Amino acid sequence: MSAHANLERRRQAIYGWLLLSPAAVLLTLFAFYPSVATLWSSVFSRGTRRKPTEFVGTENYADLFADPTFWIVVKNNILYAGVTIPVSIFIALSMALWANGKIRARGFVRTAYFTPTVLPMIAAANLWLFFYTPGLGVLDQIGSLFGLPSVNWLGQPETALWAIIIVTIWKEAGFFMIFYLAALQTIPEDLKEAADIEGTSRWTYTRRIVLPLLMPTTLFIAVNAMINSVKLIDHLFILTKGGPSDASKLILYYIWEMAFAFFDAPSAAAMTIMVIAVLGIVATIQFFYLDKRTHYQ
Amino acid sequence: MTTSPFVKLDGVAKRWNGQLGVEGITLDIPEGSFTALLGPSGCGKSTTLRLLAGLELPDEGKILIDSKDVTTSAASDRNLSMVFQSYALFPHLSVAENVVFGLKVRRVPKQERQEKLHRALEITGLLGLEDRKPGELSGGQRQRVALARAIVAGQRLCLMDEPLSNLDAKLRNAVRKDIKKLQRDLGITVVYVTHDQTEAMSMADTVVLMKDGHIQQVGTPEDLYSRPSNTFVAEFVGAPPMALLQSSVLDGFGDDKTIGIRAENIQIAPKGEGRLRCVVNESEFLGAETLIGLDHAGATGLCVLKPGLSMIAEGNEIDINFHDENLHVFDAAGQRQAG
Ligand SMILES: Nc1ncnc2c1ncn2[C@@H]1O[C@H](COP(=O)(O)OP(=O)(O)OP(=O)(O)O)[C@@H](O)[C@H]1O
Ligand SMILES: [Mg+2]
């Protein structure tokens, strides 16, 4: 290879690294290093005054597996994810298809759907507290009109998690709808017309044309929804604090409790590592499996 | 008249918020013909076609296809196919899937679907590209997929909205011939929208020239060229278009008329023997001939053709001559006078 081309290649490489470095530095500082540090601390015991920290291998993990609360929390989170992800995606898609149609007050509808997204989660939770409060809450007020008894939605184990799930869906659906709306705008109008001339029903058009063309968006949203199903716990602090009797406790909340209420950093670290591993695996599967079936324009 | 026309538009109008779309479109299209809707941008060609397709509903008038009133029918009930300017191919489906999409929707059995697909791809020369996505095709190939999709349905009426406008000049010429041949071979009726007069004149049996939502003239290409019904048609059709003179500059035509004359009917006369004295404003070499543009106070678009390369310097004065039988006379309103 000529010296000139070599020089050019090196220049390109340096240029590439320069462009990469800000992101690389930030990610190392705030993502990779903490992850590794967490992994590190998860294999050491919790130090007390009498017993200093020592290497314990997988003992922290074993302790967790033996902890019944851990399993309740895992079960809660799986239910939480299993409901919020598909339901919020489905609602977002339906709303987007509707708000994208030729309806009156389209701008208003879009804004209305989007409002929950702009609200901070804490504010949203306070809003819902006002709905759920027994006796005073809007839900109970409406119920009492029909002679229904007062229900403590957040205060009983059977309903607490579901009440949380509904808040999350309400919060997420509008956000995801915006992505779907944006994607719908990129589908040319004449595809619909071409399908119309062939006698395609609205449903067939949606199923055979619109949904496949929305696949990249769905994939993106699904990954986001999954991450949110672990990440989004702000409302727990306001609404239930994980109670009653751990009925609405989610993993991240439990991690927070471990770390900052019980000061059991190693357990919290072990749990964090497991969450990262699971999220990583699921995201990889989603990307590789769905990617094959996704058409990118 | 023995048979009723295959497609009939009767006083069709479409307005957008009271503003002009198309107005008073009355048109008969015989079966098996090739009709071109021609006109400048925004004149309502697409609108007319979309009204015919059922993608828009008219505010007034009636539309009949095959003696059936389809004025308010859905697009799918009109038994027609359409080629869109943008092709409107489904980007996530392969060529084969795109072509048979409509057959699938109509639940045509698989065997029959395969046969029709094969034939359509054969006709359009797309065999071997079945599994490509539209994104992996060239513009011309995409255009042919759109064409294949339109003919696979086997409808007797095919609408095309500027199907060639995304192709380069050379390809356009080739595909133009293909489309024309296809139409003849299949015996289908084609309504073809274009703003390119060469396209319209070379392909169509009947040309419909439109302006501002109104039909200006309906006729064979020959009609439009040699018997333009008004000054707009005269100035639109032909390259170079017809020159228009105020009748006052010539003797014996009165004062309020407009006289049209084509470049090929004008001869350069020896100084002092011509009917008009003009100033040369440009010379354009076209290959076989040279186009000399002329200025005259009472005329627009005046020019004359000289064989071979023969430029005349700008600003020179020359005299021109022409015969009365080659003149087109338009009245004060711009309408053609008998003759
Ligand atoms: N959906 C619409 N809403 C409002 N006005 C419209 C609409 N579609 C067309 N028009 C108007 O109707 C007139 C005719 O439009 P049309 O699309 O038929 O023109 P066209 O002859 O096809 O032009 P082009 O050669 O540029 O495609 C134009 O003045 C246009 O602005
Ligand atoms: Mg158009």
Side-chain angles (χ1 to χ4, degrees):
Chain A
M1 199 190 290
S2 75
H4 176 77
N6 230 333
L7 191 73
E8 182 60 28
R9 248 172 57 117
R10 206 166 328 146
R11 254 170 45 97
Q12 288 284 350
I14 292 173
Y15 192 54
W17 280 108
L18 279 176
L19 286 176
L20 273 180
S21 54
V25 167
L26 286 176
L27 279 175
T28 310
L29 217 57
F30 296 108
F32 301 143
Y33 168 70
S35 305
V36 173
T38 307
L39 181 64
W40 185 255
S41 59
S42 76
V43 292
F44 284 87
S45 72
R46 175 185 182 186
T48 57
R49 192 146 351 128
R50 276 184 295 137
K51 246 173 58 187
T53 307
E54 58 178 1
F55 181 78
V56 292
T58 57
E59 199 175 291
N60 286 322
Y61 293 87
D63 285 352
L64 268 181
F65 288 136
D67 171 11
T69 312
F70 175 72
W71 289 111
I72 293 178
V73 170
V74 167
K75 214 182 74 219
N76 283 346
N77 219 137
I78 289 174
L79 179 69
Y80 180 76
V83 175
T84 55
I85 297 173
V87 172
S88 57
I89 290 181
F90 178 78
I91 293 178
L93 182 59
S94 312
M95 293 195 304
L97 287 174
W98 188 56
N100 196 48
K102 291 192 177 76
I103 53 166
R104 274 187 294 156
R106 188 158 72 169
F108 173 77
V109 169
R110 289 181 185 185
T111 316
Y113 283 164
F114 192 56
T115 312
T117 306
V118 237
L119 235 49
M121 196 58 175
I122 297 293
N126 277 309
L127 200 74
W128 278 86
L129 202 56
F130 165 70
F131 290 145
Y132 284 141
T133 311
L136 296 168
V138 173
L139 285 182
D140 263 13
Q141 301 268 356
I142 295 171
S144 69
L145 286 182
F146 298 97
L148 298 174
S150 160
V151 180
N152 187 356
W153 298 103
L154 297 169
Q156 47 191 25
E158 307 85 62
T159 53
L161 186 57
W162 290 99
I164 298 288
I165 285 176
I166 286 171
V167 177
T168 308
I169 292 172
W170 173 84
K171 179 94 170 100
E172 281 191 320
F175 185 51
F176 295 156
M177 179 197 70
I178 295 300
F179 289 102
Y180 273 130
L181 267 182
L184 282 172
Q185 309 272 302
T186 67
I187 299 181
E189 184 77 11
D190 52 14
L191 293 190
K192 170 88 178 111
E193 295 177 349
D196 274 349
I197 286 180
E198 306 275 15
T200 318
S201 69
R202 202 188 163 87
W203 164 241
T204 309
Y205 173 70
T206 306
R207 193 172 54 89
R208 298 271 325 269
I209 309 296
V210 175
L211 292 187
L213 289 178
L214 289 179
M215 244 346 228
T217 314
T218 305
L219 177 62
F220 172 79
I221 289 176
V223 170
N224 265 288
M226 186 193 65
I227 293 169
N228 276 351
S229 73
V230 174
K231 197 175 76 173
L232 212 59
I233 52 150
D234 312 17
H235 49 335
L236 284 187
F237 287 88
I238 306 287
L239 293 175
T240 63
K241 303 217 181 334
S245 58
D246 299 333
S248 66
K249 196 170 282 177
L250 300 176
I251 295 237
L252 192 57
Y253 192 88
Y254 193 44
I255 293 176
W256 174 84
E257 253 183 8
M258 278 282 183
F260 300 106
F262 310 145
F263 296 104
D264 186 354
S267 291
M271 242 188 308
T272 307
I273 290 298
M274 281 192 282
V275 168
I276 291 175
V278 170
L279 279 184
I281 291 167
V282 177
T284 313
I285 293 173
Q286 269 179 332
F287 268 116
F288 280 88
Y289 171 69
L290 289 175
D291 225 29
K292 280 212 191 71
R293 315 181 21 169
T294 300
H295 170 82
Y296 291 100
Q297 254 161 343
Chain B
M1 201 115 162
T2 48
T3 53
S4 64
F6 184 49
V7 178
K8 189 175 176 63
L9 290 112
D10 192 5
V12 172
K14 170 81 192 172
R15 306 176 191 100
W16 273 283
N17 311 323
Q19 285 202 315
L20 187 78
V22 295
E23 200 76 45
I25 301 290
T26 300
L27 194 59
D28 288 349
I29 299 173
E31 171 127 44
S33 68
F34 197 116
T35 303
L37 300 181
L38 177 67
S41 189
C43 70
K45 308 179 296 282
S46 298
T47 307
T48 309
L49 200 71
R50 294 168 59 81
L51 285 164
L52 207 48
L55 298 172
E56 311 279 358
L57 291 182
D59 297 326
E60 269 172 35
K62 277 210 305 214
I63 301 174
L64 281 85
I65 297 179
D66 205 8
S67 323
K68 220 174 74 191
D69 189 335
V70 294
T71 310
T72 53
S73 305
S76 54
D77 296 336
R78 301 189 180 201
N79 293 323
L80 46 81
S81 52
M82 185 158 172
V83 179
F84 291 81
Q85 177 171 0
S86 56
Y87 311 145
L89 300 176
F90 306 120
H92 60 297
L93 298 181
S94 70
V95 168
E97 288 169 319
N98 260 292
V99 174
V100 298
F101 182 83
L103 299 180
K104 241 178 174 166
V105 168
R106 270 173 268 127
R107 303 195 194 285
V108 174
K110 185 156 186 194
Q111 181 67 30
E112 192 183 336
R113 237 162 44 205
Q114 287 301 328
E115 284 162 15
K116 288 191 164 171
L117 168 68
H118 188 84
R119 213 171 46 236
L121 293 183
E122 202 167 23
I123 295 174
T124 48
L126 286 169
L127 285 176
L129 300 177
E130 291 90 341
D131 298 325
R132 299 259 195 104
K133 296 275 169 65
E136 301 159 351
L137 297 175
S138 73
Q141 288 167 333
R142 272 179 231 176
Q143 201 280 333
R144 280 182 282 157
V145 176
L147 214 54
R149 188 173 65 180
I151 62 179
V152 82
Q155 310 285 18
R156 286 149 69 204
L157 176 60
C158 183
L159 310 178
M160 304 190 184
D161 192 352
E162 308 206 22
L164 306 187
S165 58
N166 289 341
L167 306 183
D168 68 53
K170 207 167 169 184
L171 199 55
R172 210 180 293 185
N173 265 325
V175 181
R176 201 153 77 191
K177 291 202 180 79
D178 291 347
I179 291 181
K180 182 66 193 167
K181 184 169 176 318
L182 208 64
Q183 182 260 337
R184 281 225 193 91
D185 292 352
L186 300 176
I188 53 176
T189 312
V190 169
V191 182
Y192 187 101
V193 164
T194 177
H195 62 250
D196 178 354
Q197 51 164 309
T198 6
E199 223 168 275
M201 303 297 258
S202 64
M203 294 170 89
D205 313 319
T206 309
V207 177
V208 179
L209 185 57
M210 297 182 66
K211 178 199 171 198
D212 297 339
H214 293 269
I215 292 183
Q216 301 296 313
Q217 186 170 2
V218 181
T220 62
E222 217 272 307
D223 271 341
L224 263 72
Y225 190 80
S226 42
R227 280 178 297 283
S229 67
N230 58 37
T231 49
F232 172 76
V233 181
E235 279 192 302
F236 192 86
V237 175
M242 195 178 277
L244 295 180
L245 319 169
Q246 292 163 10
S247 57
S248 51
V249 303
L250 294 175
D251 295 330
F253 287 97
D255 278 342
D256 59 349
K257 302 211 166 53
T258 308
I259 312 291
I261 174 104
R262 292 219 173 264
E264 62 262 35
N265 297 324
I266 300 177
Q267 300 88 37
I268 295 179
K271 265 266 157 66
E273 293 173 26
R275 295 173 76 173
L276 277 182
R277 172 154 300 179
C278 314
V279 180
V280 174
N281 63 18
E282 61 168 352
S283 298
E284 193 182 346
F285 179 52
L286 302 176
E289 40 201 7
T290 305
L291 182 75
I292 315 284
L294 304 172
D295 271 340
H296 185 279
T300 54
L302 207 56
C303 52
V304 54
L305 290 166
K306 291 186 76 183
L309 174 62
S310 94
M311 312 290 261
I312 299 180
E314 218 174 295
N316 277 7
E317 284 197 338
I318 59 171
D319 282 8
I320 56 170
N321 224 340
F322 36 81
H323 297 293
D324 275 359
E325 73 254 27
N326 289 328
L327 298 183
H328 305 256
V329 183
F330 303 96
D331 64 18
Q335 298 301 313
R336 183 182 189 81
Q337 291 200 323

